[in-house]
Amino acid sequence: MLSALNPLRRSLKRVLPPQAHPDPQLQFWWDWTQWAILLLPLSSFLGGVSVLLIVLVMGWQLFPVLRQRRINQGLAIVSLLMLFSATFAQIPAAAFLGLFNFLPFFLAFAVLSELLRTPDQLRRLTWILVAGSVPVVIIGLGQQWLGWHGHVQLLGIVVDWLIRAGGNPPGRMSSVFFYANVLANYLVVTFILALGLWIEAVNQRSFILKSFPNQRQWLTPKLLLLTGIVMSNAIALILTNSRNGWAIAAIACLALALYQGWRWLLVGVGAATSAVLMAAFAPSPIREGWRTIVPAFFWARLTDELYPNRPERMLRSTQWKFAWSMAEQRPWLGWGLRNFTPLYKAQVHSTMGHPHNLTLMLMAETGIPATIVLVSIVGWVVAQGSRYLLNWHSGAASATDALQTTCDRLICFTFLVAFMGCGLFSLFDVTLFDARINLIGWLLLAGICGMVYHSPEMKPKRST
């Protein structure tokens, strides 16, 4: 029976070749995690349940280490505050249900921070996340340009896609996600990661041409492949019609251009962004001139002329004010998770799933102390990841080693930019209700934290 599975095993190894883990005892879990992340975009059930099982078993095995990490102790405090908040919530049942959007992912972060340790692992995850975006983009393009739609199911909930004709909302690509903004958040991450891999491939090609002048290959297959993926992700992100996604993608391009010292990319992105902003917000008659150059698809979306006369209750500013008033009334424990929706509906007679700002939502629903502790934990990881990059010790003995160091630093910087893109997105929308987006965000943060924990140069004391 087992021998009959050998052809399948060989095929799977060709698709995703094994990569050695620094700790041989964690090799099985590392292999399984890679497959789970690869399956995640197309099957939140297979990917999510796999990660949950990995986290539970590894969490049990690594509990003595996990409980000593101060950052995990901080997450335990946030968890307790959220439990107290749910107990005293306006609608406790909704609040306890909302805990599933946070507590399991806190545990996933803690465990994955111990599993992810090296730049090679982050690079492998980057490739996996980028590869997973390809079918998502293809389905989205088919939805927008070929009229693909329908309810696709396989074995019940194993694969369950509701692909709406023209997207959701109509005219905005949503692909296998339930809403265009959720897809935009996903594409922001995959676009940034793909761009990081593309820059790495450019650096590697430049090194080869300098070291081996006779090899005059204008485009390597890998570079050509990544060029196509970056462009397709960018096109898909544009078709989501997400102003938030557009802005973050532009900022990420500028950040990577600054990191690389590529003035041409800085100038290009800056010029394109400036042109769109001039067409949208410049005084008359300047803006009219720019509008003859810039397509209305961009500037009309920024000025909200594509969706005019929206009711005040649908505006983000109205939702933010209401969420802040909730936090002012109950600053310590909030009103309970998932309680914004019924309270907002009772006030304005309109259903809104969240206040379009994660920080305000947490303050309103879980209280200001829990929000401060959680934001501080995330900020600490980002700060330590940045410090890790700034203090990176090269020690390169050869040009090849120097190239590898450059590539490793770039992939870590790309992870930082991708996570910060998620953070910026959460300031204008809340997409964590999709488990795939939620898990990807914590995975990025865990990768950064794991590098800090297990760096030979910056490895903190065991109690941290």
Side-chain angles (χ1 to χ4, degrees):
M1 178 64 179
L2 293 177
S3 60
L5 296 176
N6 287 335
L8 176 60
R9 290 174 179 172
R10 288 193 293 269
S11 299
L12 292 177
K13 286 182 178 180
R14 283 195 291 267
V15 174
L16 193 60
Q19 182 189 59
H21 192 277
D23 184 349
Q25 295 182 350
L26 300 180
Q27 185 65 52
F28 173 77
W29 305 114
W30 170 231
D31 292 339
W32 192 1
T33 298
Q34 294 174 68
W35 279 106
I37 300 304
L38 182 64
L39 295 171
L40 184 65
L42 298 179
S43 176
S44 55
F45 177 80
L46 284 177
V49 170
S50 295
V51 172
L52 179 62
L53 291 174
I54 292 167
V55 165
L56 290 176
V57 178
M58 281 191 62
W60 179 263
Q61 294 177 349
L62 299 176
F63 182 73
V65 175
L66 296 178
R67 69 180 180 182
Q68 293 179 21
R69 301 286 193 191
R70 289 181 182 174
I71 196 169
N72 296 336
Q73 295 168 8
L75 288 174
I77 292 173
V78 176
S79 301
L80 288 175
L81 289 172
M82 286 185 170
L83 284 168
F84 281 126
S85 173
T87 303
F88 298 99
Q90 183 80 358
I91 306 176
F96 278 104
L97 182 63
L99 292 174
F100 287 96
N101 290 315
F102 293 94
L103 304 194
F105 297 94
F106 294 168
L107 180 60
F109 164 78
V111 171
L112 292 173
S113 296
E114 302 298 331
L115 184 65
L116 305 177
R117 302 183 178 186
T118 67
D120 281 340
Q121 287 182 284
L122 300 194
R123 183 177 291 105
R124 173 61 70 92
L125 283 179
T126 301
W127 273 104
I128 289 171
L129 288 167
V130 168
S133 73
V134 174
V136 174
V137 169
I138 291 173
I139 292 170
L141 295 176
Q143 177 189 51
Q144 295 302 109
W145 292 343
L146 300 177
W148 293 357
H149 67 279
H151 193 183
V152 180
Q153 282 187 302
L154 177 63
L155 300 177
I157 60 175
V158 174
V159 173
D160 189 5
W161 308 335
L162 182 58
I163 305 172
R164 300 181 184 273
N168 184 36
R172 298 177 59 185
M173 181 192 290
S174 56
S175 188
V176 298
F177 293 88
F178 73 92
Y179 199 77
N181 285 351
V182 182
L183 174 63
N185 194 349
Y186 172 76
L187 290 173
V188 160
V189 172
T190 58
F191 170 76
I192 294 171
L193 295 177
L195 188 58
L197 289 175
W198 182 82
I199 294 173
E200 181 184 68
V202 170
N203 291 339
Q204 290 171 340
R205 179 179 175 275
S206 298
F207 173 79
I208 291 173
L209 290 178
K210 289 179 181 178
S211 302
F212 308 99
N214 295 328
Q215 297 186 12
R216 294 290 182 181
Q217 295 180 333
W218 290 105
L219 278 177
T220 62
K222 182 169 74 170
L223 185 57
L224 185 61
L225 172 65
L226 287 169
T227 301
I229 294 176
V230 169
M231 293 180 64
S232 62
N233 270 256
I235 292 170
L237 185 56
I238 290 171
L239 292 176
T240 63
N241 216 345
S242 168
R243 294 171 293 184
N244 199 13
W246 296 350
I248 294 170
I251 293 171
C253 288
L254 292 173
L256 286 165
L258 280 170
Y259 180 83
Q260 283 292 116
W262 287 355
R263 295 180 180 179
W264 62 269
L265 184 56
L266 279 172
V267 172
V269 175
T273 303
S274 298
V276 174
L277 292 175
M278 291 291 285
F281 304 115
S284 182
I286 298 176
R287 66 169 175 262
E288 281 73 17
W290 282 102
R291 288 181 179 184
T292 62
I293 303 172
V294 179
F297 178 83
F298 295 102
W299 59 259
R301 179 67 176 120
L302 290 181
T303 59
D304 235 5
E305 293 181 37
L306 286 180
Y307 306 99
N309 303 319
R310 286 192 297 170
E312 186 177 356
R313 64 180 182 275
M314 302 296 291
L315 299 177
R316 279 177 168 82
S317 57
T318 305
Q319 299 154 29
W320 293 346
K321 290 177 182 177
F322 185 80
W324 178 248
S325 69
M326 290 173 61
E328 287 181 319
Q329 294 173 56
R330 289 192 180 183
W332 295 108
L333 292 176
W335 295 79
L337 290 167
R338 300 177 66 92
N339 274 240
F340 172 86
T341 298
L343 292 172
Y344 192 73
K345 184 176 182 180
Q347 179 72 23
V348 302
H349 309 291
S350 179
T351 300
M352 186 62 60
H354 52 78
H356 286 82
N357 182 293
L358 179 59
T359 305
L360 282 174
M361 187 191 84
L362 288 172
M363 287 195 294
E365 295 186 341
T366 66
I368 294 175
T371 304
I372 290 176
V373 176
L374 182 58
V375 170
S376 299
I377 289 171
V378 173
W380 182 89
V381 175
V382 172
Q384 291 300 312
S386 302
R387 179 169 169 256
Y388 172 81
L389 281 174
L390 292 173
N391 291 277
W392 192 300
H393 177 66
S394 174
S398 65
T400 303
D401 292 339
L403 173 65
Q404 186 61 49
T405 298
T406 299
C407 292
D408 288 347
R409 289 190 65 190
L410 173 63
I411 212 67
C412 294
F413 180 74
T414 303
F415 248 64
L416 267 171
V417 174
F419 175 76
M420 292 175 72
C422 279
L424 286 174
F425 206 101
S426 70
L427 295 179
F428 299 93
D429 209 342
V430 181
T431 56
L432 57 77
F433 300 111
D434 188 298
R436 293 167 290 185
I437 302 299
N438 203 349
L439 182 56
I440 288 173
W442 286 107
L443 176 71
L444 294 172
L445 192 65
I448 299 166
C449 191
M451 287 292 299
V452 174
Y453 275 157
H454 302 285
S455 165
E457 296 85 5
M458 295 182 61
K459 189 173 182 181
K461 295 179 182 180
R462 177 62 69 180
S463 61
T464 59

